[in-house]
Amino acid sequence: MGAAVFFGCACIAFGPALALCLLTVAGDPLRVLLLVAGKADEGLVTLSEDGRPPLSVKQMAYVSGLSFGIISGLISVINILADSIGPGTVGIHGDSPHYFITSAFLTMALVFLHTFWGTIFFDACEKRRYGTLGLVVTSHLVTSGLTFLNPRYEASLIPLFLLTLSTGAWAFFTAGGSLQSIQACLSGKKKEDDSVMVYSALQLPAED
C-alpha cells in the first residue's frame, strides 16, 4: 500500500510538469539547458550567430518558471513522499487521512503557479509594471498562507486551484494568447496565422 501511495502521489504532483517538459522543452537543447540551470543566462546570447538571443524573453520566462516550480515542488514534497512509504498509518490519531494526496495536489498547483508567475514576472520587469510585480508577490504570499489551513489540509485545495486557474489565464494572455488561439488549437486548423497564435498560447513562439 505504501508503494502505491508513493507512486500515485508522485505522479499527481509531477506528472503535469513532466508532460510540459516533454511537449514544450525536450525538443530544444537550449530550453533543456535553461530548465536544468533554472535561470536565464546572458551566456546564451553568445550562442547566437546574429547576436540575438536564441530564446525569446517569453521562452526564458516560461522555462525558468517551470524549472523553479519543479525544484520548489521537490523541496516541499520529497520528505512527505518518503514518509508515505511507511511504516505508519495516516489519520490513526485523528489527523486528516487525506494528507498525502492533498500534498500531492498542492505541489502540482505550486508547480503550475511558479510557471505562471515566471511568465508574468518577466513581462512585468521588461515593461516596468510595478503594480503587476506587487500582485505576483501578493498572490505568492496568499498561496503560502493557504497552506496553513491545517489540519484540514484539503480545505486549501479549492481556493488554491481557483488562484491557479486565474493566474494561468493571466499568464496566457500576458504571453500573447487570445481566444482565437484557443479556438484554432481546439479546431486543429493548420493555417500559418493560427499556427503562430497556437505557439504564442504555449508561450513558445514559432521559429522562422
Side-chain angles (χ1 to χ4, degrees), residues 8 16 19 26 29 39 71 76 83 87 124 137-138 150 154 162 164 185 189 195:
K39 64 178 181 178
I71 294 172
S76 64
D83 290 338
V137 174
T138 301
N150 52 351
E154 59 273 16
L162 289 176
T164 302
C185 183
K189 292 181 179 179
S195 176

Side-chain angles (χ1 to χ4, degrees), residues 11-100:
C11 289
I12 291 173
F14 299 107
L18 178 60
L20 288 176
C21 290
L22 293 176
L23 293 174
T24 63
V25 177
D28 189 326
L30 291 179
R31 293 175 197 156
V32 174
L33 288 175
L34 185 57
L35 181 74
V36 175
K39 64 178 181 178
D41 193 342
E42 293 181 358
L44 290 174
V45 179
T46 62
L47 300 177
S48 177
E49 295 180 357
D50 56 6
R52 295 183 301 174
L55 296 178
S56 69
V57 174
K58 291 179 181 179
Q59 288 176 321
M60 290 190 289
Y62 167 76
V63 179
S64 296
L66 180 59
S67 172
F68 194 83
I70 293 173
I71 294 172
S72 176
L74 284 172
I75 293 174
S76 64
V77 83
I78 189 66
N79 289 333
I80 297 174
L81 289 177
D83 290 338
S84 69
I85 299 178
T89 302
V90 179
I92 195 172
H93 294 298
D95 296 326
S96 173
H98 309 297
Y99 175 67
F100 290 131

